[in-house]
Amino acid sequence: MMTMTANAPSENPRGFPCRKLFFLTKLTAILLVCLCLQVHATGNAQEKINLKLRETTLKHLLNEVEKQTMYRFVYHTGTLPDDRKIDINVTNADLAQVLAKAFAGLPLNYRLQEDNLVVIFSTDKTSADKASPERKVSGKVTGANDTPLSGVSVLVSGTGIGTTTNASGDYSLQVPDDAKTLDFSLVGYLGQKISINDQLVINVTMQTTATSLGEVVVTGYTNYTRNKSASAAITVGSDKINDVPVATFDQALQGRVAGLTVSAVSGQPGTSSRVILRGIGSIGGNNNVLYVMDGVPIESDFFQSINPGDIESITVLKDASAKAIYGSRGSNGVIVITTKKGKAGKLSLEYRSQYGVSTLTSTKFDMMNSAQRKMFEEGIGQETGAEAGPFWTYSKLNPDYATMTAAQKQRADDITDSLLGVNTDWRDLFMRDGSFMEQQISASGGNQNIRFYTSLNYFDQQGVVKVSGMKRYTLKNNLDFSYGKFAANINLNIGYSNSTLIQNEGGSGGQNPLSAVYYALPYEYPYAPDGKLVTTGDGTLYPTLDLREGSDSYERMLNSSKKQDQLKSILGMSLSYTLAKGLVAKTRLGVDYRDLTSEDWINADSYAGTRVTPGRLGSFGESITRRTSLVSTSGLTYNNIFAEDHELEVTGLFEYLNNKTRAFGYTGYGLDSRLPQTPAAIGAPSTYTPTLTGRRTQNSMASWIGLLRYTYNDKYTLNASYRYDGSSTLPEVNRWHGFYSAGLSWEAKKESFLENVDAISNLRFRASYGTTASPFPGDFTYLPTYTQTSYGGVSAIAPAQPGNPNYDWEYGSELNIGFDLGLFKNRVRLTAEYYNRVTSNLFINQPLSATSGFGSLNISSGEMRNRGVEFDLQGDIIKTKDLVWTLGGNMAYNKNEVLDLGGANEFEFQYTGIIRVGLPYGAHYAPKWAGVNPDNGDPQYYTPDGQITTTYNAATLSVTDFGTYIPLITGGINTSLTWKDFSFNALFVFNAIVNRYNNEDYFNENPSFITSNQSTRLLYDRWQKPGDNSILPRINAPRNYTSRDIQDASYIRLRNINLGYNVPKSVIDKWKFINGIQINLQAQNLLTWTKWRGFDPENGNEYARFSYPAPRTYVVGLNVNF
Amino acid sequence: MRKINNFYKSLTLGISVVALGVVSCNKQIDLLPTDTIDPSKAFKTVKDINAGLLGAYNKLNYYSNVFYTSRITDEVMLPSENSTGSGVATYRWQYDGSFVHDAWPDNYIAIDRANRVLAVVDDIEAKPAEVVLKDQYKGELLAIRAYCHFELIRNFAEKYEAGKMGVPYMEVSEVGSPERLSFEAVMVKINADLVAAKALIPASFDDRTRITRNAVSAIQARVALYEKNWDNAITYASEAITAVALASRTDFPKIWKDQTNNEVLWKLKRVASDPETPLGNLYTQAGFLTNPAGSRIYYAASNELTNLFDQANDIRFSSYIIIDPQRKADGKIPNAVIKYTGGDAANPNRVDIKLFRSGEMYLIRSEAYAEKNDLVSAATSLNSLRRTRISGYVDQAFATKDALITALQTERFKELAFEGHRHYDLRRWNLPITRNPDDAVNALGAVLLTPDKAQYVFPIPNSELKANKNIKQNPGY
C-alpha cells in the first residue's frame, strides 16, 4: 500500500496520468492478491504529502491533497475564499503541516473525522452565513428486523457535509445550525430525507428498494436515481429471490414484474424458463431478453450455475429509453442483475439451510384403469372387430369364445380375471417425491476502501421423475475497492452444476417417461413374480399379454442416463478513475465462459441397449460445448451541477463484444457392459462405427455509445442516448446502424401546487421514445453456403442455407408513457405504464415452395406491433408497530398484431399456428370442430361460412377463432403480513385469455393408439350407437386436428407461500456470537386453479406434449446471522 | 503548459485511450464462417462436381416410397403389437391436414442440388484426363433430375394419363411458385433428360450405387411403362436385361444381404453412420431374426400376399417373408417381412436400397408385349423370370391377354413386394386397393379403396399449397 505515497508531481503535465495508469495495472495485481487473501484492511491514513504550487487557490490545493492521499475534504459552499492565492512548497509533510500553511491567516479550521474525512469550517464568528454554529447530531440506522446498516451515507441536504454509518449502524455528524434536513442513502434502500428540527438524536429505519418505487435505476451503464430517470424500470429485491426454492433466478421473477411473462418450459430441475417482456417482438428473429449481470452480458437459458442467493436485486428495463442504451441487443428488454456486494463494517456471516420435498402438482389423471380398459377393449372389439388388447381376445363377447373348448374358456376367464386384478398406477413407478436441499454460507464486510462479499452454495434438487435432478456448487466473490479517486471492482462467479435429465423430454415416444405414464396399460406390471423386470425382449420366456410398453420404457429409464455437467464462470472487472471533478474514466472487462459436457449412455446389458443400432450393445455419447463471451466497455462520464439547478451527466463509451462457440462430440457403440458410463467401454471403431460432430463459430459487435442526462431543478429530467452498432452477423452493406432514445421525467410532487398536498406523497410522470434493433440470429445467415455431407460413406457437399444478401437489422421503436403515484405517506403506491412497440423490417421465416430446394427463406420485411398497459399497485393496509399487512398486485395487458408481412398475406407457423396480417402472433389455426353427428358418429367440422361438413380439409376449413398461446393478460398478486416476530408472504400468479394445443389429447384420444392406454373420454364419451350425444366420434373415424384440441390454459396458481419466524432477541442474546435466527416454511406451487386437462398449464409452449410438469415443493429453512 | 485546464487535459487523455482500443476492434467484426463453404469456393474442379453430385445422391429418399406404399396397400397388415401409431392413419386411409409424404420435399431438394451443379458444370475446366469423367457426372446429374421428377409424378400425379395434373418440373435452381405441368409434359421432359444423360455416361462406368448407363435404360423402361409407351418399354427393358442378368436362386437371397450386386441395376448405398431410419425398421424391430418372439412386428406381411407364394419352392418367399413357428405358438402374428433385415449383425435392418433390378425389367417387357398382344413374347419373359425364381417351375402358356395380364399383376405383387411398387401398379391398372378380412382386423373397416376416392392418390402437402399459390391440390381433398 505504501506505493501510494507518490513522488512529487512531475513538471510534465502528461507524466502524472501516465504513471497513474501504470499504477492501475499494479493495483489490479494487488486486487487479485486481495481476492485470495481477503485482507481485512483498516483505513487510517498516515500519509506524507508533497506539494509545490504557486498562486493556487485553496480549492485546488485541497484537490491535489485528495489526489495524493486518502483524505477527503468537506466544507460548506462559500467557506473557502475564492480570491485567495497561495504558494506552498512542502515535502513529506503530514496533513496538519499542510493545512496549517494553507489556512495561515484565514478564519478556517478543520476537524479530522473517522474514515479520513476532513471537515473544514469557518471560525469567523462575525460572518453569519459562513459561520453558523454547529451541533452534533447522532443516531442509528437500521434495516429490516432492526439489523444495523453500515455504510449508509448521511448528508446534510444541499451541502457536501456528511459521513457514513459504522458497522453498528451509528453515525454522528456536525450539522450547521441552518441545516434543515438530512439525506440518508444506501444502494438497495429507499433514500430518506429527515427533518432535523431541534433533534440531536435521529434514528432511521430504511426500507429496501423492493417496490416499484425503488430508488435507483441500474441500467448496467449508468445508475440514475429514479426521480431522474425516464425509464419504466422495476426492481425486484433480494428478499423476493434469495429464499425461493428454485434452481434458477428467472423462476423467482414470475408474477413480480408487470409485463414480464415467465413460464417454466419444463419442471425438470435446472431448466430455464421462457421469459418474454411486453409480448413477442419478432417472428423469425430473436425474442430473448438480454441479461446483464454486474455489467457483463450473460447467456440466456444457462442459469443453472448461478446461485440466486447471491443476487442483491434484479432490475427489469422495459422501455426504449433504457433499452436503447443496449442498442441492437436490448430490443426485447433488459434484465440487469446486481449481485451482493460487501458493506463496510464488521464481518458479517450468514448461514442458510433449506430442506424440502418436491411432489407432483396435479392429480388430474383420467386414463383408464383395468376395469375401464376391459370395457373399452370389448367395446372396440364389438364395434369393429379390432383387437385392442387381451380383454377382447379372451372376452366372452368375442365370437371366437363360442368356438373354444370348455378348458380354453376356463383359461380365457382366468386370464381376464387376473388382468383385472392388476391395476398399475405408473406414476408410482416413474415418479417420486424428490428431496430438496440447499446450504449456503456467506461472509461480507470491509471498510471504506475494500469491501468483500463471498459465498459458497450447495444446491441439490431431485426431480419428481426418478433419475432426474440437479446438484450445484457455486462460489461467489465480489470485491470492491476504492481509494480516493480510484475505484475498482472484481466480480467472480464460478458455478458447477451437474444435471441428470430424463430421456426424450417432450417426445411422444415411449422413451419419454412422461409419455409412458400415460400410454402404459393399467393391467401391465413390469416385474414378474420372480422379481425379473420383463421387457418385450424376454418373449416366450416370460410370456405377457400386454404390450410391455410401460415396462420397456421403465427398463430404459433404469438403464440409461442423460447428464449435463456445466462449468460456468462469469468474471467482471471494472476500474474507474476520477480524472477531474465530475469526470470519471471507466473501463470494464467481462467474460462469460461456459463449458457444457453432455453425456448420454444406454447400458449394453439391457433390453434398451439391444435396441441401439449399430451394435445392439448400448451407446455412449458425449459432447462438449465451450462458449466464451467477452465484452469490453471503456469511456468517460462527466457529471456536474451548473448554477445550482442544472445537473448534467454525459457519458461516452466504446464497447466491443465477441462470442465464440466451439463444440465437439461423439457417440460410440458396442459397449462393454462391465464399463458403465465411460467412453472406455466403446467397441472397436472398425466394427462399431462411431459418429463424430463438431463446429466452431463466432460473432462480434462493436458499438459507440453516447448517454446524456440533464436535470433541471430536481424536477425535470431529460434522458437521451445514441448508439452506433456494427455487427458481424449482417452483410457489409447493412453492417452499421445507429439507435437513439429520448425520455422526459417530471417530478410533479415537487411543484409548488402539490408540495403541500399531504395526501399525495409522490407523483412522477415519464415519457420516452426510442429505437432499438436486433441483428439476425445465427452468425452467418446472410451468406448462401454449402456444407459437408456424404453419400454411401463418401464425402459430398450440399447447400446449407439459401442466404439473403439483403439482410438488414430488425428495427424496433417504442413509446412509453407512465407515472408513479404515492398516496398517504406512500402507503399506497401505484405505477402505471402504457407502451406502443412496433417492430419493423421484421424477420420472417417465409415458407417456400419445396421446388426451391429449401423449406423456408429468412427475409427481413414486415411489421408487428405490441401495445399494452401495465399496473402495479401496492398498499400497506395495516401499519402498526407490531402488525404490518401489505397487499399488492400487478397486471399487464398486451395486444399483439401483425401489421405487414412484406407482400405475403399469411403463412402457417409452428405447429398449429398462422401468421396473418391483422392477427396476433401465436394465433391458432384449425378447422372448427362441430361436434359429433348423433346419427352415425361422424366427426363434423364447420366450413368457414358456418356450414357443417364431414369432409376434413385442413387447407380449406381452418379458421383463426381460437385465440393465441401467448397470454393476453398476465400478472401476480402478493401479500405479506408481519406480526411481531412472525411473517407471512404469499404470491399468486395468473395467466388469462390464453389457449394452447393439447397434443396429449391428440395421442390419448386417438384410434391409432388404441392398443396403448387412452383417456377415459374415449371409453365413456365416444359415439357408439345412433342417438349418442357424445364428445368423441365413432372409433373408426379419422382423428383429425381441430379446435377441439385447442384448450383454455388460463390459470391462477399459488406460486409461493412463506411463513417466517424471527427468533426473538431475548432468546438469541444467550449466544453472544449470533445476531439473528430466522426459521421459515415455504410451499411452492401449492394450489392451481385451471380448466386445463394436461399435467401443467404453465409451460409456455404452443403445444403441450408430455412435458415435465412444474413440481410442488415444500421447504423448511433456517437462516442464522453471526 | 501548466495553464492547460486539468479537465481538458484529462478528457483528451481519456478519449485517446479509448480511441486506441477502438482501432483494433473495428476489424474484429469482419468475420467469415469457418464451418461452411462459400459458394464461390464450392465448385472449382471436376472433383467438386462429383462432391456436389454425391450431395444430390445423399438426398434421394426411397424410404418414404416403401413406407407409404406398404401402408396404403394390401402388402401388409397391422398387428395389435404395433403401438407406435406410425403410419396407422395411412393404413386406415385417413389423412389429417399435417400429412406430408416426404417424397414431395425430398425429391425437390435433390433436384435443386442437381440443378445447382448443372448450372456450373459447363464452366468448370476439365483436364484432358477428366473430360470423360466430367461428362459422366453431368449425365448422372441429368439422370437424377429425371428420376426424382419421375418419383414425384408416380406419387402425386392426379392420374397417369395425358391431360391430368402432373408436377412442376424444375430445370434451374430458383425460388418461385411453379405450376403443375400436365402428366405428359412432365414425361417429355423426363425422357429428354434421360436421353441426354445416357449419351454422357460411358458404358464402362459400372458403380451400381450410382446411375450407370444401364441404370438409365432401366429408368427409361419404367418411365415408358407408366406412359404406356410399350415399344420403348420393350426396347429399354431389353437393354437392361441384356446388360444385367437375373440372379441365380443361390444368389437371389444374397442381393438382400448386400452380398452380391448380381441383378442389381441401381441401388442406394447405405452405411452405418447414415442418419436415415434403416429400411427394415418399417416392418420389424432391428434384430428381429435373433429373437423373433421377443421382438415387435410393426407391419406384418399380409396373409393375402403370403398365400400367393409357392412357399416351398419360390426363393422369393424365403427371401422376403418368414412365418415364425414360436410366434405362431405364442398366439402372435407370425408373418414377418425379413427382406431388409440385412446381413450385418451389428447393424441389422440397415441395407442398401435396391431401386432397379433385372427382375422388374422382365416384368416390364412382358407387360409391354402383352399390351401389344404379343402373348408369346410376353409369356417368354414371364416364364424366364418364374423359372429363375421357382424351383421345379414348368413354363406356362396363356390363352388370352387378360389371363396373362392377371398373371403378370400377381407376379409383380410377389416379385416387387415391399419395394415400393404396389400402390403405383394398382394406380396404373386403375384397380382398387382391397384387403382380405384376416388382414384387416385392425384396419377399422379400411377394406376397399376405389380409384374414385380422394385417398387413393396422395395429397400434395398443405405446406406446399400455402407457400405456392399456383399449385393445385389433387381432386377430392
Side-chain angles (χ1 to χ4, degrees), chain A residues 506-508 908-914 921-926 954 958 965 996-1000 1002-1003 1041 1045-1046 1101-1105, chain B residues 96-98:
Chain A
S508 61
E908 284 185 37
F909 188 62
Q910 291 179 346
Y911 218 68
T912 67
I914 189 162
Y921 174 95
H924 293 288
Y925 187 57
S958 292
Y965 75 94
R996 295 175 60 206
Y997 172 32
N998 187 340
N999 200 210
E1000 283 151 22
Y1002 183 86
F1003 287 101
Y1041 160 66
D1045 298 308
I1046 298 169
N1101 289 326
E1102 174 190 26
Y1103 58 82
R1105 192 199 291 138
Chain B
D96 74 10
S98 62

Side-chain angles (χ1 to χ4, degrees), chain A residues 629-678:
Chain A
S629 170
L630 191 130
V631 63
S632 137
T633 315
S634 303
L636 297 168
T637 297
Y638 176 67
N639 181 331
N640 211 344
I641 299 173
F642 300 94
E644 301 217 341
D645 287 335
H646 304 272
E647 187 181 348
L648 180 71
E649 183 174 322
V650 188
T651 304
L653 299 165
F654 176 78
E655 184 167 274
Y656 173 71
L657 179 76
N658 177 269
N659 295 309
K660 274 197 179 75
T661 307
R662 49 165 58 193
F664 146 74
Y666 62 85
T667 304
Y669 302 93
L671 306 185
D672 184 328
S673 63
R674 292 163 298 183
L675 301 169
Q677 303 189 47
T678 165

